[in-house]
Amino acid sequence: MESLVGRWAGINTTLAPSEIETCAQFLLKGVRNDDHSEFYLSNRLAPGGYAWVFPKGDGMANVGIGVLGSRSEGGMPIELLSRFVNDKFPSAKVVEVIVGGVPVCGPIERTIADGLMLVGDAARQSDPLTGGGILNALDVGVIAGEVAAGSLEEGDVSREALGEYEKRWREKIGVSLERSLVVKERLVQLSDEDLNTLAHSIKDRNISKMGLFGMVSLLFKTNPKLLWSFRKLFKSKG
Ligand SMILES: Cc1cc2nc3c(=O)[nH]c(=O)nc-3n(C[C@H](O)[C@H](O)[C@H](O)COP(=O)(O)OP(=O)(O)OC[C@H]3O[C@@H](n4cnc5c(N)ncnc54)[C@H](O)[C@@H]3O)c2cc1C
């Protein structure tokens, strides 16, 4: 996550605990949910993060928890996840355990140096709100590959030549990372009571086909006072 290679190239890759989600995930067998993902936002269950249930079919599911690094301590994500799983899926079997950190602070200032491009978590390209980084890493990896091929053909892998990578990946995902950061910064400040207010405010709305930003927009319209900092997300839209 904190890229050592980036540091060797003079890029400040240090992350503060508040910029990381510390995560634990179990692959469970025997989960009765094959058709929808579940997200639980709660300071009690997952301080500064969330718990998730992602079904994979045939009774298997990835069930995990992310805790903001500044609110976590040794072993906390695993302890909270074990408690969550015992409550929710008492008869499920743990097949696999994964632990790790995900950057949730938005992108690093610079992702290129002479002969170097940072991609994925090393470049902090994971979504600050969801912590999801696989899709972005793949999309941006394609750009990095194309730029690398072009630069090698030209015989120039200088920082200037690799500037095309920096420009293209920011054009592709920069705005969505910025938006997610604004939303996450507010959500981590909310109490469980506030989070319940938000959830109840849209409980009669059909959100099953709504994208993440559509839901953010709906929550803002329904709770403008609580989510006042979100106004900057909608300003340019008039
Ligand atoms: C518990 C957990 C659950 C997650 N769930 C999801 C999810 O459901 N969806 C999603 O989109 N994202 C999820 N993420 C985030 C996602 O895993 C990362 O954003 C994504 O894997 C980033 O890809 P990457 O290639 O940048 O880094 P990585 O996947 O971490 O790959 C880096 C690779 O480099 C290797 N490496 C490191 N140092 C060296 C070295 N010196 N020499 C050689 N190799 C080295 C590592 O071993 C590793 O294989 C999750 C993260 C965690 C921790």
Side-chain angles (χ1 to χ4, degrees):
M1 229 181 356
E2 280 188 353
S3 168
L4 185 59
V5 180
R7 202 173 302 160
W8 289 338
I11 300 170
N12 180 6
T13 61
T14 314
L15 284 161
S18 60
E19 296 178 319
I20 305 167
E21 285 288 323
T22 55
C23 306
Q25 178 176 275
F26 295 162
L27 173 59
L28 291 185
K29 191 179 175 175
V31 172
R32 254 179 291 143
N33 164 13
D34 271 345
D35 64 352
H36 64 277
S37 296
E38 298 174 29
F39 297 85
Y40 297 81
L41 274 77
S42 152
N43 290 294
R44 185 178 54 82
L45 281 179
Y50 68 94
W52 64 86
V53 179
F54 296 159
K56 294 164 77 89
D58 294 331
M60 307 287 284
N62 280 338
V63 180
I65 268 181
V67 179
L68 199 63
S70 51
R71 300 189 197 168
S72 189
E73 50 193 54
M76 191 182 192
I78 282 273
E79 269 170 40
L80 289 173
L81 178 59
S82 302
R83 206 180 303 162
F84 177 71
V85 165
N86 285 340
D87 280 355
K88 205 166 158 49
F89 306 109
S91 54
K93 191 170 175 297
V94 178
V95 178
E96 192 181 77
V97 179
I98 301 176
V99 293
V102 183
V104 288
C105 53
I108 203 162
E109 205 180 313
R110 173 162 64 91
T111 60
I112 49 170
D114 289 339
L116 176 74
M117 290 179 276
L118 297 180
V119 176
D121 282 5
R124 304 179 194 164
Q125 288 158 338
S126 44
D127 186 287
L129 178 58
T130 65
I134 298 173
L135 197 59
N136 283 353
L138 290 172
D139 283 346
V140 167
V142 169
I143 299 174
E146 288 170 357
V147 172
S151 298
L152 286 171
E153 244 171 56
E154 297 291 321
D156 181 3
V157 295
S158 65
R159 178 172 162 183
E160 288 69 33
L162 300 178
E164 184 194 339
Y165 165 67
E166 185 92 60
K167 184 167 171 287
R168 281 178 60 191
W169 81 253
R170 287 187 192 273
E171 276 168 7
K172 186 160 183 72
I173 61 169
V175 170
S176 104
L177 295 183
E178 269 169 40
R179 280 176 174 173
S180 286
L181 184 59
V182 169
V183 176
K184 173 234 146 187
E185 291 295 336
R186 180 60 187 138
L187 290 189
V188 298
Q189 295 172 335
L190 297 180
S191 65
D192 283 359
E193 202 184 354
D194 292 334
L195 292 169
N196 283 339
T197 301
L198 293 183
H200 286 300
S201 73
I202 57 169
K203 74 177 187 334
D204 296 325
R205 308 293 287 262
N206 182 3
I207 56 168
S208 60
K209 300 235 158 39
M210 208 173 264
L212 186 60
F213 200 67
M215 204 189 309
V216 167
S217 168
L218 177 61
L219 283 168
F220 175 58
K221 281 182 196 143
T222 328
N223 305 272
K225 265 193 190 160
L226 203 52
L227 302 177
W228 187 235
S229 62
F230 288 11
R231 71 195 179 286
K232 63 183 104 161
L233 300 173
F234 304 101
K235 258 186 185 160
S236 57
K237 298 197 159 185

